[in-house]
Amino acid sequence: MQKIVTIVGARPQFVKAGVVSRALRRDFREILVHTGQHYDVNMSDIFFRDLEIPEPQYCLGVGSGSHGAQTGRMLEAIETVLQQERPDLVLIYGDTNSTLAGALAAAKLHIPVAHVEAGLRSFNRRMPEEINRILADHVSTWLFPPTATAVEHLRHEGITAGVHQVGDVMYDTFLFGSALVAERSRILESFDLGRKQYSLLTLHRAENTDDPERLTAIVNTLNETGQRIIFPVHPRTRQKLKELGAAIHTSGLTLVDPVGYFDMLNLELHAAVIFTDSGGVQKEAYMAKVPCITLRDETEWLETVTVNWNRLAGADPDAIRAALALDWVGADYPPLFGDGKAAQKIAHILAGHE
């Protein structure tokens, strides 16, 4: 049986890893490596429980730090694991520092790399995630873009070999979670939330949280809308809010600690509108058929904008207020993210059945 090392480290990767791991373990011996990029219980452990992800064989405990320092520590630690395990291939997800470190460590040891969620581009190279995803794609042997747009991005960069459009594994997870959410989550009752009677906010990207002007504009604008807005606060974002002190107003927002997968899915499914700078939440909003207002100036998920279920507002107060009219929401709902069998297709291809 072939051996595969899977690298995860952040919430979006945990969401994808559950369904893919279940599919892989029919044909592979999987070694799961958790870098520790997200290490808070509410950002890590709860997702392993909720999504039935196997216990990692390696927990590297890298933690937070600057991009260079964090990636460097991960690279060194992952290289040691790969030298010890000598896998047949390494599987990486998405665009985090864990993704880049896993890709580089494997490539330098001449171990083939499989990249799930390949081909995404925001065309903003000031985003660390953009650099991570570009470099990961260019050292990968198997590339699994979720959409036709992602395939085209790869083609424009000269990458055509090993490219397989399989759909989005987050849709697989969404279907898995939707069937269980009613019995696994009571968060609506806990906060006395009526269905479609509240909005949901997530905010964590450095372009927003590390820019006091943008963060203040976004939070203060949403605070003034008069809507009930539930705001699960990323630990780094909470620290930035604290640093801004009296300049930022959150009295109209309901700030809560980060929530697990089923609670987050429940909040998404029943929100009237979702505000986010997360790529994954943009997709989950579409899957839940909830209008999304993206607090960024560009998105990797342009398909959701094209079909008018997502509106880019950046940190512009006027654009955010205008988007809240929701007069732009589309009537059509095309199947952008596949058929819910992406994980099976990935495992099938990697096992050499295709």
Side-chain angles (χ1 to χ4, degrees):
M1 180 177 283
Q2 293 188 83
K3 182 190 290 188
I4 185 169
V5 165
T6 295
I7 309 293
V8 297
R11 176 195 181 276
Q13 294 160 341
F14 309 148
V15 171
K16 301 175 185 91
V19 290
V20 176
S21 287
R22 282 193 289 277
L24 286 175
R25 290 180 183 228
R26 301 181 188 125
D27 291 295
F28 292 90
R29 179 186 169 210
E30 185 185 36
I31 305 296
L32 194 61
V33 178
H34 185 343
T35 66
Q37 182 172 341
H38 282 173
Y39 50 87
D40 183 276
V41 170
N42 289 332
M43 297 292 289
S44 177
D45 295 3
I46 194 169
F47 286 90
F48 279 77
R49 293 195 300 270
D50 280 358
L51 297 171
E52 302 172 13
I53 305 170
E55 189 78 16
Q57 282 89 341
Y58 293 89
C59 294
L60 304 182
V62 169
S64 59
S66 70
H67 286 287
Q70 187 183 63
T71 306
R73 291 197 298 270
M74 289 177 185
L75 180 57
E76 182 178 13
I78 292 169
E79 181 181 65
T80 299
V81 172
L82 297 182
Q83 288 172 326
Q84 180 175 327
E85 292 291 344
R86 303 176 63 84
D88 297 289
L89 64 117
V90 169
L91 182 70
I92 57 173
Y93 293 94
D95 56 18
T96 70
N97 289 340
S98 298
T99 309
L100 177 60
L104 290 177
K108 288 177 178 292
L109 293 172
H110 310 293
I111 301 169
V113 175
H115 186 195
V116 175
E117 207 175 73
L120 301 189
R121 298 292 183 268
S122 68
F123 302 101
N124 176 5
R125 293 205 176 189
R126 292 181 61 83
M127 290 176 57
E129 295 89 351
E130 184 79 349
I131 301 303
N132 292 346
R133 61 174 73 107
I134 290 170
L135 294 176
D137 282 341
H138 280 266
V139 299
S140 293
T141 300
W142 294 275
L143 300 100
F144 297 111
T147 65
T149 302
V151 174
E152 279 300 295
H153 291 157
L154 293 171
R155 186 181 66 80
H156 283 303
E157 293 175 18
I159 303 174
T160 55
V163 175
H164 304 269
Q165 183 185 341
V166 293
D168 198 309
V169 296
M170 283 190 72
Y171 187 48
D172 298 23
T173 306
F174 178 85
L175 294 176
F176 163 81
S178 296
L180 297 172
V181 70
E183 65 184 68
R184 300 282 183 92
S185 172
R186 293 290 179 270
I187 195 164
L188 300 187
E189 294 84 351
S190 297
F191 289 102
D192 192 24
L193 299 174
R195 287 163 171 77
K196 305 301 179 184
Q197 300 300 308
Y198 65 93
S199 298
L200 176 65
L201 167 65
T202 77
L203 198 62
H204 77 280
R205 286 195 182 269
E207 66 193 83
N208 286 325
T209 60
D210 294 355
D211 184 329
E213 187 174 339
R214 286 182 69 94
L215 183 58
T216 300
I218 290 169
V219 173
N220 286 354
T221 300
L222 294 177
N223 187 66
E224 294 164 4
T225 63
Q227 295 191 4
R228 184 168 189 192
I229 299 178
I230 306 301
F231 183 11
V233 188
H234 188 288
R236 187 162 55 84
T237 306
R238 189 178 288 275
Q239 179 59 34
K240 296 295 183 180
L241 294 174
K242 183 178 179 182
E243 290 170 8
L244 286 169
I248 204 156
H249 306 292
T250 60
S251 59
L253 309 177
T254 302
L255 276 62
V256 302
D257 287 335
V259 298
Y261 179 75
F262 286 108
D263 282 342
M264 186 63 179
L265 181 59
N266 206 2
L267 288 170
E268 290 170 336
L269 285 166
H270 300 294
V273 63
I274 293 173
F275 304 93
T276 190
D277 60 5
S278 161
V281 174
Q282 289 176 60
K283 288 189 294 179
E284 288 169 334
Y286 184 80
M287 295 168 193
K289 297 185 180 180
V290 174
C292 182
I293 298 173
T294 295
L295 305 169
R296 290 170 53 192
D297 301 317
E298 72 288 306
T299 179
E300 305 79 36
W301 302 107
L302 193 59
E303 298 91 343
T304 63
V305 176
T306 301
V307 299
N308 292 315
W309 280 85
N310 188 3
R311 175 61 60 93
L312 296 176
D316 181 349
D318 290 337
I320 294 170
R321 294 187 194 105
L324 269 170
L326 300 182
D327 53 2
W328 45 270
V329 178
D332 296 329
Y333 184 76
L336 298 181
F337 298 113
D339 59 5
K341 298 179 180 178
Q344 296 175 33
K345 294 173 186 176
I346 289 168
H348 192 77
I349 291 164
L350 292 179
H353 300 313
E354 181 176 317

